[in-house]
Amino acid sequence: MLGGCDGSQPLIRHDDKGEPGPFPAADRPVAHIVSSRWSNEEARDRLNEATIVMDRAKIRPGMTVADIGAGEGYYTIRLAQRVGKDGRVLAEDIMPAVRDALAERVARERLDNVSVRLGVPADPKLPDASFDRIFMVHMYHEIEQPYEFLWRMRPSLRPEGLVVVVDANRLVVDHGTPPALLRCEFAAVGYQLVGMENMPSAGGYFATFKAVGPRPAPGAIKPCRLRPSQQPAGTQADNGAAPKHQMVDEPNP
């Protein structure tokens, strides 16, 4: 699926002085946002999706959680109930109309522990050192600039914080993210895979990552090279991230 990180990919440059960069561009397609809804809430609840994801992510009362690409708020609402009055949920989306509709829902349901924020495609605009968990559910494949996005998101994690990713094990153009690609892109920005397991009730797999070591300089990020002719890798549990220069498209022994 992936070639080694050779640093030969095009770079995303910033013209404004003082802005970090350049960042490497993703050598893969980007799935277009076709809807703010992945599936209807009743169907997802029949599969117990949110409860299973929150249980696996060890969401507890009093936590502070970010819901990135929150859409209509399926996870936002349920996270707010789980973390309780002493917890906080920040719901982020990049589409103003979606953000506004979710803000109206939050107000209507009187969720005083939820705030709603507008992000931009390359930056979720999260406050530093604030989150125990960052949820990215069925949206990672829509991120146009994953290295910059993950780089800017990293400081918002608390020391023991985790990023929770739920996605489908299929090609990006088919609205999924092959697990090998996910591991490589996160590793390139200094995240380590904590665990990955199949999760059919959520349409694919469940993965968690933590930030390790110093955040790399943007120019030191080595991009992952996608080989479109190969099929998505499996979702076996894996407790380590692939090193930056490891060939991760070789068949499993």
mmCIF file of all heavy atoms in Angstrom, residues 62-101:
data_model
loop_
_atom_site.group_PDB
_atom_site.id
_atom_site.type_symbol
_atom_site.label_atom_id
_atom_site.label_comp_id
_atom_site.label_asym_id
_atom_site.label_seq_id
_atom_site.Cartn_x
_atom_site.Cartn_y
_atom_site.Cartn_z
ATOM 1 N N GLY A 62 -16.460 13.838 33.367
ATOM 2 C CA GLY A 62 -15.442 14.830 33.683
ATOM 3 C C GLY A 62 -14.392 15.024 32.609
ATOM 4 O O GLY A 62 -13.576 15.955 32.707
ATOM 5 N N MET A 63 -14.368 14.190 31.581
ATOM 6 C CA MET A 63 -13.380 14.338 30.516
ATOM 7 C C MET A 63 -13.703 15.532 29.618
ATOM 8 O O MET A 63 -14.846 15.988 29.538
ATOM 9 C CB MET A 63 -13.324 13.070 29.655
ATOM 10 C CG MET A 63 -12.481 11.951 30.210
ATOM 11 S SD MET A 63 -12.355 10.599 28.992
ATOM 12 C CE MET A 63 -10.952 9.705 29.660
ATOM 13 N N THR A 64 -12.681 15.990 28.910
ATOM 14 C CA THR A 64 -12.850 16.999 27.869
ATOM 15 C C THR A 64 -12.535 16.351 26.530
ATOM 16 O O THR A 64 -11.450 15.783 26.348
ATOM 17 C CB THR A 64 -11.923 18.205 28.105
ATOM 18 O OG1 THR A 64 -12.237 18.790 29.379
ATOM 19 C CG2 THR A 64 -12.103 19.261 27.026
ATOM 20 N N VAL A 65 -13.485 16.411 25.601
ATOM 21 C CA VAL A 65 -13.402 15.670 24.340
ATOM 22 C C VAL A 65 -13.684 16.605 23.174
ATOM 23 O O VAL A 65 -14.561 17.473 23.257
ATOM 24 C CB VAL A 65 -14.416 14.506 24.322
ATOM 25 C CG1 VAL A 65 -14.284 13.683 23.039
ATOM 26 C CG2 VAL A 65 -14.238 13.606 25.548
ATOM 27 N N ALA A 66 -12.942 16.451 22.093
ATOM 28 C CA ALA A 66 -13.212 17.173 20.847
ATOM 29 C C ALA A 66 -13.825 16.211 19.840
ATOM 30 O O ALA A 66 -13.368 15.074 19.699
ATOM 31 C CB ALA A 66 -11.934 17.783 20.285
ATOM 32 N N ASP A 67 -14.855 16.658 19.147
ATOM 33 C CA ASP A 67 -15.499 15.885 18.085
ATOM 34 C C ASP A 67 -15.231 16.618 16.777
ATOM 35 O O ASP A 67 -15.871 17.623 16.469
ATOM 36 C CB ASP A 67 -16.999 15.768 18.374
ATOM 37 C CG ASP A 67 -17.743 14.917 17.359
ATOM 38 O OD1 ASP A 67 -17.079 14.193 16.584
ATOM 39 O OD2 ASP A 67 -18.990 14.972 17.353
ATOM 40 N N ILE A 68 -14.242 16.115 16.014
ATOM 41 C CA ILE A 68 -13.801 16.797 14.789
ATOM 42 C C ILE A 68 -14.635 16.308 13.606
ATOM 43 O O ILE A 68 -14.827 15.104 13.419
ATOM 44 C CB ILE A 68 -12.312 16.525 14.520
ATOM 45 C CG1 ILE A 68 -11.477 16.889 15.748
ATOM 46 C CG2 ILE A 68 -11.834 17.309 13.294
ATOM 47 C CD1 ILE A 68 -11.593 18.315 16.166
ATOM 48 N N GLY A 69 -15.105 17.249 12.794
ATOM 49 C CA GLY A 69 -16.009 16.878 11.710
ATOM 50 C C GLY A 69 -17.323 16.383 12.293
ATOM 51 O O GLY A 69 -17.851 15.351 11.892
ATOM 52 N N ALA A 70 -17.857 17.159 13.230
ATOM 53 C CA ALA A 70 -18.991 16.693 14.030
ATOM 54 C C ALA A 70 -20.272 16.515 13.231
ATOM 55 O O ALA A 70 -21.168 15.773 13.648
ATOM 56 C CB ALA A 70 -19.235 17.675 15.182
ATOM 57 N N GLY A 71 -20.398 17.201 12.101
ATOM 58 C CA GLY A 71 -21.591 17.029 11.271
ATOM 59 C C GLY A 71 -22.857 17.408 12.021
ATOM 60 O O GLY A 71 -22.943 18.466 12.649
ATOM 61 N N GLU A 72 -23.844 16.524 11.991
ATOM 62 C CA GLU A 72 -25.125 16.800 12.638
ATOM 63 C C GLU A 72 -25.099 16.521 14.137
ATOM 64 O O GLU A 72 -26.093 16.734 14.821
ATOM 65 C CB GLU A 72 -26.228 15.993 11.962
ATOM 66 C CG GLU A 72 -26.461 16.402 10.508
ATOM 67 C CD GLU A 72 -27.577 15.608 9.846
ATOM 68 O OE1 GLU A 72 -28.025 14.598 10.444
ATOM 69 O OE2 GLU A 72 -28.008 15.999 8.753
ATOM 70 N N GLY A 73 -23.976 15.999 14.635
ATOM 71 C CA GLY A 73 -23.825 15.891 16.076
ATOM 72 C C GLY A 73 -24.128 14.542 16.692
ATOM 73 O O GLY A 73 -24.354 14.467 17.908
ATOM 74 N N TYR A 74 -24.085 13.482 15.903
ATOM 75 C CA TYR A 74 -24.380 12.158 16.468
ATOM 76 C C TYR A 74 -23.492 11.866 17.672
ATOM 77 O O TYR A 74 -23.977 11.511 18.752
ATOM 78 C CB TYR A 74 -24.199 11.081 15.398
ATOM 79 C CG TYR A 74 -24.368 9.672 15.944
ATOM 80 C CD1 TYR A 74 -25.627 9.182 16.266
ATOM 81 C CD2 TYR A 74 -23.268 8.841 16.129
ATOM 82 C CE1 TYR A 74 -25.790 7.898 16.777
ATOM 83 C CE2 TYR A 74 -23.420 7.559 16.640
ATOM 84 C CZ TYR A 74 -24.680 7.089 16.957
ATOM 85 O OH TYR A 74 -24.840 5.814 17.469
ATOM 86 N N TYR A 75 -22.178 12.036 17.514
ATOM 87 C CA TYR A 75 -21.266 11.771 18.629
ATOM 88 C C TYR A 75 -21.275 12.918 19.637
ATOM 89 O O TYR A 75 -21.148 12.700 20.846
ATOM 90 C CB TYR A 75 -19.853 11.505 18.125
ATOM 91 C CG TYR A 75 -19.643 10.057 17.776
ATOM 92 C CD1 TYR A 75 -19.872 9.594 16.489
ATOM 93 C CD2 TYR A 75 -19.264 9.133 18.745
ATOM 94 C CE1 TYR A 75 -19.719 8.259 16.166
ATOM 95 C CE2 TYR A 75 -19.106 7.792 18.438
ATOM 96 C CZ TYR A 75 -19.337 7.360 17.146
ATOM 97 O OH TYR A 75 -19.195 6.034 16.839
ATOM 98 N N THR A 76 -21.400 14.139 19.173
ATOM 99 C CA THR A 76 -21.402 15.284 20.082
ATOM 100 C C THR A 76 -22.443 15.113 21.182
ATOM 101 O O THR A 76 -22.146 15.287 22.375
ATOM 102 C CB THR A 76 -21.682 16.576 19.302
ATOM 103 O OG1 THR A 76 -20.655 16.782 18.322
ATOM 104 C CG2 THR A 76 -21.733 17.775 20.230
ATOM 105 N N ILE A 77 -23.661 14.778 20.806
ATOM 106 C CA ILE A 77 -24.761 14.650 21.767
ATOM 107 C C ILE A 77 -24.478 13.529 22.756
ATOM 108 O O ILE A 77 -24.651 13.684 23.972
ATOM 109 C CB ILE A 77 -26.085 14.384 21.023
ATOM 110 C CG1 ILE A 77 -26.371 15.481 20.001
ATOM 111 C CG2 ILE A 77 -27.232 14.235 22.022
ATOM 112 C CD1 ILE A 77 -26.365 16.884 20.552
ATOM 113 N N ARG A 78 -24.010 12.411 22.265
ATOM 114 C CA ARG A 78 -23.789 11.246 23.128
ATOM 115 C C ARG A 78 -22.542 11.422 23.999
ATOM 116 O O ARG A 78 -22.504 10.952 25.138
ATOM 117 C CB ARG A 78 -23.733 9.988 22.265
ATOM 118 C CG ARG A 78 -25.125 9.632 21.719
ATOM 119 C CD ARG A 78 -25.093 8.881 20.397
ATOM 120 N NE ARG A 78 -26.455 8.626 19.945
ATOM 121 C CZ ARG A 78 -27.201 9.538 19.290
ATOM 122 N NH1 ARG A 78 -26.712 10.759 19.047
ATOM 123 N NH2 ARG A 78 -28.425 9.234 18.904
ATOM 124 N N LEU A 79 -21.532 12.083 23.460
ATOM 125 C CA LEU A 79 -20.361 12.394 24.284
ATOM 126 C C LEU A 79 -20.733 13.348 25.417
ATOM 127 O O LEU A 79 -20.259 13.201 26.553
ATOM 128 C CB LEU A 79 -19.264 13.016 23.423
ATOM 129 C CG LEU A 79 -18.489 12.055 22.520
ATOM 130 C CD1 LEU A 79 -17.675 12.834 21.486
ATOM 131 C CD2 LEU A 79 -17.572 11.145 23.327
ATOM 132 N N ALA A 80 -21.583 14.328 25.120
ATOM 133 C CA ALA A 80 -22.005 15.278 26.146
ATOM 134 C C ALA A 80 -22.709 14.564 27.291
ATOM 135 O O ALA A 80 -22.508 14.891 28.474
ATOM 136 C CB ALA A 80 -22.924 16.338 25.531
ATOM 137 N N GLN A 81 -23.529 13.584 26.950
ATOM 138 C CA GLN A 81 -24.217 12.819 27.990
ATOM 139 C C GLN A 81 -23.226 11.979 28.792
ATOM 140 O O GLN A 81 -23.346 11.862 30.017
ATOM 141 C CB GLN A 81 -25.276 11.923 27.344
ATOM 142 C CG GLN A 81 -26.396 12.708 26.669
ATOM 143 C CD GLN A 81 -27.259 11.849 25.763
ATOM 144 O OE1 GLN A 81 -26.925 10.695 25.460
ATOM 145 N NE2 GLN A 81 -28.367 12.409 25.306
ATOM 146 N N ARG A 82 -22.221 11.412 28.134
ATOM 147 C CA ARG A 82 -21.274 10.535 28.811
ATOM 148 C C ARG A 82 -20.332 11.324 29.736
ATOM 149 O O ARG A 82 -20.052 10.881 30.852
ATOM 150 C CB ARG A 82 -20.457 9.746 27.779
ATOM 151 C CG ARG A 82 -19.379 8.837 28.361
ATOM 152 C CD ARG A 82 -19.934 7.640 29.101
ATOM 153 N NE ARG A 82 -20.558 6.658 28.239
ATOM 154 C CZ ARG A 82 -19.952 5.574 27.746
ATOM 155 N NH1 ARG A 82 -18.680 5.339 28.056
ATOM 156 N NH2 ARG A 82 -20.600 4.730 26.975
ATOM 157 N N VAL A 83 -19.819 12.470 29.294
ATOM 158 C CA VAL A 83 -18.864 13.207 30.138
ATOM 159 C C VAL A 83 -19.561 13.972 31.256
ATOM 160 O O VAL A 83 -18.933 14.339 32.250
ATOM 161 C CB VAL A 83 -17.985 14.164 29.300
ATOM 162 C CG1 VAL A 83 -17.216 13.407 28.242
ATOM 163 C CG2 VAL A 83 -18.803 15.295 28.687
ATOM 164 N N GLY A 84 -20.849 14.233 31.098
ATOM 165 C CA GLY A 84 -21.631 14.831 32.167
ATOM 166 C C GLY A 84 -21.372 16.315 32.384
ATOM 167 O O GLY A 84 -20.629 16.962 31.639
ATOM 168 N N LYS A 85 -21.982 16.837 33.424
ATOM 169 C CA LYS A 85 -21.933 18.282 33.669
ATOM 170 C C LYS A 85 -20.535 18.784 34.015
ATOM 171 O O LYS A 85 -20.238 19.964 33.855
ATOM 172 C CB LYS A 85 -22.905 18.660 34.792
ATOM 173 C CG LYS A 85 -22.601 18.027 36.137
ATOM 174 C CD LYS A 85 -23.641 18.425 37.177
ATOM 175 C CE LYS A 85 -23.373 17.800 38.530
ATOM 176 N NZ LYS A 85 -22.061 18.187 39.100
ATOM 177 N N ASP A 86 -19.674 17.887 34.506
ATOM 178 C CA ASP A 86 -18.305 18.296 34.842
ATOM 179 C C ASP A 86 -17.340 18.117 33.678
ATOM 180 O O ASP A 86 -16.159 18.457 33.794
ATOM 181 C CB ASP A 86 -17.803 17.497 36.047
ATOM 182 C CG ASP A 86 -18.591 17.816 37.311
ATOM 183 O OD1 ASP A 86 -19.004 18.980 37.464
ATOM 184 O OD2 ASP A 86 -18.795 16.904 38.128
ATOM 185 N N GLY A 87 -17.815 17.575 32.579
ATOM 186 C CA GLY A 87 -16.988 17.411 31.391
ATOM 187 C C GLY A 87 -17.312 18.458 30.345
ATOM 188 O O GLY A 87 -18.219 19.273 30.508
ATOM 189 N N ARG A 88 -16.534 18.429 29.258
ATOM 190 C CA ARG A 88 -16.748 19.376 28.175
ATOM 191 C C ARG A 88 -16.585 18.674 26.837
ATOM 192 O O ARG A 88 -15.760 17.763 26.688
ATOM 193 C CB ARG A 88 -15.730 20.527 28.227
ATOM 194 C CG ARG A 88 -15.811 21.406 29.466
ATOM 195 C CD ARG A 88 -17.059 22.265 29.475
ATOM 196 N NE ARG A 88 -17.124 23.148 28.308
ATOM 197 C CZ ARG A 88 -18.196 23.891 28.005
ATOM 198 N NH1 ARG A 88 -19.275 23.827 28.759
ATOM 199 N NH2 ARG A 88 -18.184 24.679 26.956
ATOM 200 N N VAL A 89 -17.392 19.125 25.864
ATOM 201 C CA VAL A 89 -17.268 18.634 24.495
ATOM 202 C C VAL A 89 -17.145 19.842 23.579
ATOM 203 O O VAL A 89 -17.960 20.774 23.661
ATOM 204 C CB VAL A 89 -18.482 17.781 24.067
ATOM 205 C CG1 VAL A 89 -18.350 17.356 22.611
ATOM 206 C CG2 VAL A 89 -18.625 16.555 24.969
ATOM 207 N N LEU A 90 -16.118 19.835 22.729
ATOM 208 C CA LEU A 90 -15.993 20.851 21.687
ATOM 209 C C LEU A 90 -16.287 20.174 20.356
ATOM 210 O O LEU A 90 -15.596 19.228 19.974
ATOM 211 C CB LEU A 90 -14.604 21.480 21.678
ATOM 212 C CG LEU A 90 -14.426 22.691 20.738
ATOM 213 C CD1 LEU A 90 -13.343 23.620 21.266
ATOM 214 C CD2 LEU A 90 -14.055 22.250 19.316
ATOM 215 N N ALA A 91 -17.326 20.646 19.671
ATOM 216 C CA ALA A 91 -17.706 20.093 18.370
ATOM 217 C C ALA A 91 -17.208 21.023 17.276
ATOM 218 O O ALA A 91 -17.476 22.232 17.304
ATOM 219 C CB ALA A 91 -19.216 19.931 18.281
ATOM 220 N N GLU A 92 -16.479 20.464 16.313
ATOM 221 C CA GLU A 92 -15.865 21.283 15.252
ATOM 222 C C GLU A 92 -16.314 20.783 13.889
ATOM 223 O O GLU A 92 -16.452 19.576 13.669
ATOM 224 C CB GLU A 92 -14.337 21.211 15.363
ATOM 225 C CG GLU A 92 -13.590 22.049 14.349
ATOM 226 C CD GLU A 92 -13.195 21.276 13.089
ATOM 227 O OE1 GLU A 92 -13.591 20.093 12.942
ATOM 228 O OE2 GLU A 92 -12.493 21.844 12.242
ATOM 229 N N ASP A 93 -16.566 21.718 12.992
ATOM 230 C CA ASP A 93 -16.834 21.375 11.593
ATOM 231 C C ASP A 93 -16.304 22.512 10.734
ATOM 232 O O ASP A 93 -16.128 23.645 11.221
ATOM 233 C CB ASP A 93 -18.329 21.149 11.345
ATOM 234 C CG ASP A 93 -18.567 20.196 10.174
ATOM 235 O OD1 ASP A 93 -18.488 20.654 9.010
ATOM 236 O OD2 ASP A 93 -18.791 18.993 10.404
ATOM 237 N N ILE A 94 -16.050 22.232 9.454
ATOM 238 C CA ILE A 94 -15.493 23.257 8.575
ATOM 239 C C ILE A 94 -16.550 23.901 7.687
ATOM 240 O O ILE A 94 -16.252 24.826 6.949
ATOM 241 C CB ILE A 94 -14.362 22.698 7.687
ATOM 242 C CG1 ILE A 94 -14.890 21.623 6.730
ATOM 243 C CG2 ILE A 94 -13.225 22.162 8.546
ATOM 244 C CD1 ILE A 94 -13.871 21.187 5.685
ATOM 245 N N MET A 95 -17.796 23.409 7.764
ATOM 246 C CA MET A 95 -18.869 23.952 6.935
ATOM 247 C C MET A 95 -19.746 24.863 7.803
ATOM 248 O O MET A 95 -20.391 24.387 8.749
ATOM 249 C CB MET A 95 -19.683 22.814 6.331
ATOM 250 C CG MET A 95 -18.838 21.877 5.469
ATOM 251 S SD MET A 95 -19.742 20.410 4.911
ATOM 252 C CE MET A 95 -20.949 21.164 3.819
ATOM 253 N N PRO A 96 -19.781 26.159 7.510
ATOM 254 C CA PRO A 96 -20.533 27.084 8.363
ATOM 255 C C PRO A 96 -21.992 26.686 8.577
ATOM 256 O O PRO A 96 -22.509 26.790 9.696
ATOM 257 C CB PRO A 96 -20.414 28.421 7.619
ATOM 258 C CG PRO A 96 -19.122 28.310 6.869
ATOM 259 C CD PRO A 96 -19.044 26.872 6.434
ATOM 260 N N ALA A 97 -22.667 26.244 7.522
ATOM 261 C CA ALA A 97 -24.079 25.877 7.668
ATOM 262 C C ALA A 97 -24.244 24.687 8.595
ATOM 263 O O ALA A 97 -25.181 24.630 9.400
ATOM 264 C CB ALA A 97 -24.682 25.575 6.298
ATOM 265 N N VAL A 98 -23.327 23.737 8.520
ATOM 266 C CA VAL A 98 -23.378 22.566 9.397
ATOM 267 C C VAL A 98 -23.087 22.982 10.829
ATOM 268 O O VAL A 98 -23.769 22.555 11.777
ATOM 269 C CB VAL A 98 -22.381 21.492 8.915
ATOM 270 C CG1 VAL A 98 -22.291 20.343 9.912
ATOM 271 C CG2 VAL A 98 -22.793 20.970 7.548
ATOM 272 N N ARG A 99 -22.069 23.830 10.995
ATOM 273 C CA ARG A 99 -21.748 24.338 12.333
ATOM 274 C C ARG A 99 -22.945 25.045 12.955
ATOM 275 O O ARG A 99 -23.291 24.831 14.122
ATOM 276 C CB ARG A 99 -20.554 25.288 12.229
ATOM 277 C CG ARG A 99 -19.993 25.832 13.562
ATOM 278 C CD ARG A 99 -20.708 27.097 14.037
ATOM 279 N NE ARG A 99 -20.909 28.093 13.001
ATOM 280 C CZ ARG A 99 -20.064 29.085 12.739
ATOM 281 N NH1 ARG A 99 -18.964 29.220 13.430
ATOM 282 N NH2 ARG A 99 -20.368 29.972 11.788
ATOM 283 N N ASP A 100 -23.636 25.877 12.154
ATOM 284 C CA ASP A 100 -24.771 26.635 12.676
ATOM 285 C C ASP A 100 -25.928 25.706 13.050
ATOM 286 O O ASP A 100 -26.585 25.904 14.082
ATOM 287 C CB ASP A 100 -25.232 27.664 11.645
ATOM 288 C CG ASP A 100 -24.197 28.759 11.413
ATOM 289 O OD1 ASP A 100 -23.257 28.868 12.229
ATOM 290 O OD2 ASP A 100 -24.325 29.485 10.404
ATOM 291 N N ALA A 101 -26.185 24.692 12.210
ATOM 292 C CA ALA A 101 -27.268 23.759 12.509
ATOM 293 C C ALA A 101 -26.978 22.973 13.781
ATOM 294 O O ALA A 101 -27.874 22.730 14.603
ATOM 295 C CB ALA A 101 -27.474 22.805 11.331
#
